[in-house]
Amino acid sequence: MRMKRLKSVRYSRYVRIVVLAMVLLAASVMTPGSNASAQDEDYLATPTPAPWQSPSAVTIAQGRADFNQHCAPCHSESGKGNGPEVKVIPGIKPKDLTTIEAQNGGVFPYRGVEDIIDGRKIIPAHKRFDMPFWGVNFQQQGQEFTAGSEAKARKRIDAIVDYIATLQRQ
């Protein structure tokens, strides 16, 4: 009799454990978003950028206009780094923008140039106070850092990058 009762106790413990495991499994399956990855939950994660699109003539013209107004004072209209501000601002040495592609194995690094112009990412080889943070300066006044303002600033920066790509020496 004692043996029968002992088997019965073991069996009921086993049944309780199995039932508990099934309840926990069912609860985890039914919880919304339970299969979301850490990337999905990290709202600060940088989204994967779309592939760079071939620019239109209008985009290049807009990039040239912004470049001539904001970049040429230091880099010159030709992009060689000998603009008129070089004589006025002591100690600045603007980069020759016509050799970027050659310095990168014949490939123009669109995203890297975009990051440098934007200025808000840390780029070890670039002293951040050598040039303005255009990603901040191109924000719409009164709407800074909203999605719409960020998109417009990015569009202007991308147009400048597209224009700089046309300056590369072949």
Side-chain angles (χ1 to χ4, degrees):
M1 179 82 157
R2 182 176 153 96
M3 189 65 130
K4 195 174 188 182
R5 197 170 71 186
L6 189 58
K7 285 183 180 179
S8 173
V9 170
R10 282 186 195 159
Y11 180 75
S12 69
R13 279 188 192 158
Y14 174 74
V15 169
R16 280 189 239 151
I17 290 171
V18 169
V19 169
L20 179 62
M22 290 174 64
V23 168
L24 290 174
L25 180 62
S28 69
V29 170
M30 297 170 83
T31 305
S34 64
N35 60 353
S37 70
Q39 176 83 17
D40 294 338
E41 295 173 7
D42 185 3
Y43 66 93
L44 294 176
T46 303
T48 304
W52 204 267
Q53 301 296 319
S54 295
S56 67
V58 172
T59 300
I60 291 174
Q62 291 167 340
R64 181 181 185 156
D66 267 339
F67 181 88
N68 287 340
Q69 181 178 356
H70 301 290
C71 309
C74 293
H75 293 281
S76 80
E77 286 189 14
S78 68
K80 294 188 182 278
N82 57 352
E85 295 295 319
V86 172
K87 298 173 186 159
V88 179
I89 302 172
I92 68 163
K93 294 178 176 88
K95 298 275 184 196
D96 180 347
L97 302 179
T98 66
T99 62
I100 296 171
E101 187 173 277
Q103 292 172 355
N104 287 279
V107 176
F108 188 80
Y110 287 90
R111 297 281 176 223
V113 174
E114 179 185 54
D115 289 343
I116 290 169
I117 293 170
D118 183 289
R120 293 180 282 177
K121 289 188 178 177
I122 297 172
I123 300 170
H126 194 270
K127 293 179 185 170
R128 269 315 326 157
F129 297 108
D130 285 354
M131 68 182 248
F133 291 67
W134 294 112
V136 174
N137 292 358
F138 287 160
Q139 295 288 323
Q140 290 180 288
Q141 193 170 12
Q143 297 179 8
E144 292 87 351
F145 309 110
T146 62
S149 182
E150 284 286 339
K152 287 180 181 179
R154 173 81 43 202
K155 185 176 178 182
R156 288 179 74 179
I157 291 169
D158 289 350
I160 292 171
V161 172
D162 289 331
Y163 176 68
I164 292 171
T166 70
L167 298 177
Q168 301 310 292
R169 289 190 227 157
Q170 299 302 324

